[in-house]
Amino acid sequence: MKKILAILLPALLIFGVMFAVGANAQIKMQAAFTTRPMLAAGEFYTLALKSDGTVWAWGHNLYGQLGGSVSGVSAIAAGDYHSLVLYSNGTVEAWGRNNEGQLGDGTNSNIYYTLVPGLIDVCAVAAGSGFSLALKNDGTVWGWGKNNIGQLGRGASFDSYYIPAQVPGLSGVNTISAGVHHSLALKSDGTVWAWGYNSYGQLGDGTYTNSNVPVQVLGLSGILEISAGSVHSLALKKDGTVWAWGHNGGGQLGNGTNTISNYPIQIPGLSGINAISAGGGHSLALKSDGTVWAFGGNSYGCLGDGTSTSRYSPVLVSGINGVIAISAGASHSHALKSDGTVWSWGRNASGELGLGDGSKTYYLRPEQIEWLNLGESSQQHIPTSTTTTTTTTTKPTTTTTKPATTTTKPAVTTTNPATTTTKPVTTTTKPVTTTTKPATTTTKPDTTTTTTTAAPTGPSVTQPTKTIGNTGYRSNILNWFLYIFFFGWLWMR
C-alpha cells in the first residue's frame, strides 16, 4: 500500500498544481474580457468602462458623482451630477446628487452608493438632469427622479418620484436616451418615441408642446440608434444617414443653418455613419472608416477641429482615426480607438478631459489620456496620483460663421421661449445587446453659439481614478491537494 501511495502522492501533487493554476487563470480570463468598453460624458465629468468590468472616472466631484469601488459592470451612464452603473446580473447601482430622487432609493438625500431597490432584469440605463431611466429585457422602460416637465412619461407632471415606476403604454423598446429634460426611446420596429420638455421641438412631433406621455417622432423608421442632447435629438438610420431635430442655435442639427426644427431633418452630406452622440450644444458622428465628424457650438473647442468657431455643417475632427466609439458631454468630447486608447478635447476646467492638467481649461484638438486603456486589465495603467483642483474657466475667443443658406422655420407657429434652459446634462445608453458601439452621453444646454458655462466650485480629479473591483479569483484547490499530500507522507512514515 505504501508503494502505491509513494507513486500516487507525487502524481496527485503535480495534478493539483496544474489544475489549480489552470482553473485560476481561466476564471481570470473570463472575468477580464467579458465587457464591452464604453464612455459616458456627463456635465463636467466622465465615466469609462473597461473590458474587465471596472469603472474609471475623472472630473468634477462635488456630489460624489465619480463614485468608488465597483466591478462586474456591463454599462454606465453619466448625468449632470449623478451616475448609474448596470451590473451583469441586471441590477442597477447609483451614486452622487439625489435632490430629485434620481438615485431611486426612496429618498432625496445625497448618498454615495445605493442599489436601486426593486429594479431587476435591466439591460440599459440612461441618466438625465435630475432623473434616471432603465430599460428592462422585456422591452419596458422605467423612470425615477425629476418629473416637473413630464420627463418620466408617467402621464402627470408631479415634481419628483423617488422610486422607479414603469412608463405606461410603452413596450417593445430596445434603446433609451435621456436629455436634459426630455427622453427618447427606440422601439424594435424602428420607430422613435419621445416625452418631456419640448420648447425647442426636441420631441420631434411637429409641435412645441411639452408631453408627459410618449409621443411618436414624425416620419422616422428604420432607426438603429438614438441620442438625446440638451435640447436637441439625433437618430441614426440603418442606411447610415443621420437625422436631427430640436434646438439649432449653434448649428447642432448640422443642416447648414441655425434654424430650429420640431421634426426630423436629414443632415446633408453625412453618410456611412456607425454611431452618434448629442452633447450640450454640439453633436458627434462616427463614420465606418473610423473618422469622427462634429458640428454645432464650439465653445472650448469641443468640435476638435483646432478652432473655437461654431460649425453649422459637419467638420472632420482633427488628427484622429481608428475610432470605434464616441461620447459628447456638455462642452467636451471623447473618442475610444480600436487599440483601447481614449482621446479627449474641449472644455477641461474641471478636469473632465482626464489629461492630468487642470491648469489648461480647454483643448482645441484631441489629446490622448495616457493613463487609460479600456481594453487592458484594471491592474494596468493605474494613475500614480490623483489631483484635486479648482480652476477659473477662461473661455476661448469665439467667432461664429453665419450659414451660407437660410431656411424657413417649420410650419408650426407656436412661439418658442426666448432663452434656453440653464440646467445641465444628459446621458444616453444603448442596450448592451445591440451594436458594438458604446452608448453615448449627452449634457447641458449650450445657448446659440457663444454661451460661457461657469465652472461649479468643488473638487475635481484631473486624471482617471480607477474604481477598484474584483480583478481575479484565488483558488483553494491547491491547498487541499497539499494537505492530502502532507498527511499521506506522514502516514507512510
Side-chain angles (χ1 to χ4, degrees):
M1 184 65 180
K2 290 185 177 181
K3 290 183 178 180
I4 295 175
L5 286 175
I7 297 173
L8 289 178
L9 286 176
L12 189 64
L13 177 62
I14 295 172
F15 174 77
V17 171
M18 294 176 63
F19 179 82
V21 172
N24 194 35
Q26 183 180 11
I27 293 171
K28 283 185 178 180
M29 286 291 289
Q30 291 173 349
F33 299 103
T34 56
T35 299
R36 177 172 55 87
M38 180 182 294
L39 293 167
E43 173 69 359
F44 300 114
Y45 75 106
T46 305
L47 301 179
L49 175 61
K50 296 184 73 171
S51 61
D52 62 3
T54 60
V55 179
W56 293 51
W58 56 93
H60 189 249
N61 196 32
L62 179 62
Y63 298 99
Q65 60 264 45
L66 299 189
S69 299
V70 292
S71 61
V73 175
S74 61
I76 53 177
D80 53 356
Y81 302 113
H82 76 291
S83 303
L84 305 175
V85 296
L86 170 63
Y87 289 107
S88 55
N89 64 1
T91 60
V92 177
E93 190 168 23
W95 57 81
R97 195 176 190 184
N98 195 35
N99 60 314
E100 302 286 353
Q102 57 263 52
L103 301 189
D105 69 330
T107 76
N108 64 347
S109 301
N110 293 341
I111 50 179
Y112 286 99
Y113 303 99
T114 180
L115 198 65
V116 181
L119 201 59
I120 59 173
D121 199 32
V122 175
C123 62
V125 288
S129 177
F131 73 101
S132 304
L133 300 176
L135 172 64
K136 288 193 173 185
N137 282 312
D138 62 4
T140 60
V141 179
W142 296 64
W144 61 98
K146 192 172 185 179
N147 189 51
N148 64 319
I149 316 178
Q151 50 267 62
L152 299 185
R154 295 191 181 189
S157 298
F158 296 117
D159 279 348
S160 299
Y161 291 88
Y162 295 169
I163 58 174
Q166 183 178 344
V167 178
L170 192 63
S171 60
V173 175
N174 63 22
T175 307
I176 53 175
S177 183
V180 169
H181 300 303
H182 76 291
S183 304
L184 299 178
L186 171 61
K187 285 192 173 186
S188 56
D189 62 5
T191 61
V192 180
W193 297 72
W195 58 95
Y197 186 51
N198 195 33
S199 289
Y200 296 96
Q202 59 265 46
L203 300 189
D205 65 343
T207 77
Y208 297 102
T209 304
N210 300 338
S211 179
N212 54 26
V213 296
V215 294
Q216 186 171 355
V217 177
L218 296 178
L220 286 183
S221 61
I223 300 301
L224 180 66
E225 184 177 337
I226 53 175
S227 183
S230 289
V231 280
H232 74 291
S233 305
L234 300 177
L236 171 63
K237 281 196 170 185
K238 292 178 181 178
D239 62 6
T241 60
V242 180
W243 297 68
W245 61 98
H247 199 301
N248 196 29
Q252 56 263 53
L253 301 190
N255 67 336
T257 78
N258 63 350
T259 304
I260 66 175
S261 178
N262 59 11
Y263 58 89
I265 53 177
Q266 184 178 349
I267 299 178
L270 203 58
S271 60
I273 301 301
N274 278 359
I276 52 175
S277 183
H282 72 293
S283 304
L284 301 178
L286 171 61
K287 280 198 171 186
S288 56
D289 63 3
T291 59
V292 180
W293 295 72
F295 41 99
N298 199 21
S299 298
Y300 309 105
C302 54
L303 300 188
D305 66 343
T307 76
S308 57
T309 303
S310 296
R311 306 292 185 178
Y312 296 158
S313 297
V315 294
L316 180 66
V317 175
S318 175
I320 188 169
N321 51 39
V323 175
I324 61 172
I326 50 177
S327 185
S331 297
H332 67 292
S333 304
H334 294 286
L336 169 64
K337 295 183 73 170
S338 56
D339 61 4
T341 58
V342 177
W343 297 68
S344 308
W345 61 97
R347 185 186 186 276
N348 191 48
S350 299
E352 56 263 62
L353 298 188
L355 299 174
D357 183 7
S359 63
K360 188 170 182 179
T361 57
Y362 62 91
Y363 286 78
L364 300 180
R365 291 183 175 86
E367 297 283 344
Q368 183 182 347
I369 300 178
E370 298 289 347
W371 300 104
L372 188 63
N373 189 298
L374 298 191
E376 295 180 346
S377 166
S378 63
Q379 296 178 353
Q380 299 171 323
H381 289 281
I382 299 174
T384 55
S385 64
T386 56
T387 306
T388 59
T389 181
T390 53
T391 59
T392 302
T393 302
T394 304
K395 179 183 168 186
T397 303
T398 304
T399 59
T400 302
T401 304
K402 286 285 183 181
T405 60
T406 59
T407 62
T408 58
K409 282 198 175 184
V412 180
T413 58
T414 305
T415 304
N416 297 328
T419 58
T420 58
T421 177
T422 57
K423 273 213 147 175
V425 174
T426 61
T427 315
T428 67
T429 47
K430 320 173 54 166
V432 181
T433 55
T434 55
T435 79
T436 57
K437 301 293 184 259
T440 56
T441 311
T442 60
T443 42
K444 169 180 188 238
D446 185 331
T447 61
T448 51
T449 57
T450 59
T451 299
T452 301
T453 304
T457 59
S460 300
V461 177
T462 61
Q463 295 180 4
T465 300
K466 181 167 68 72
T467 58
I468 305 170
N470 296 326
T471 57
Y473 299 87
R474 290 177 179 258
S475 174
N476 289 323
I477 298 174
L478 178 59
N479 292 336
W480 285 107
F481 279 110
L482 290 173
Y483 293 151
I484 294 171
F485 179 82
F486 176 72
F487 287 112
W489 177 77
L490 287 178
W491 183 79
M492 287 176 60
R493 295 188 61 183

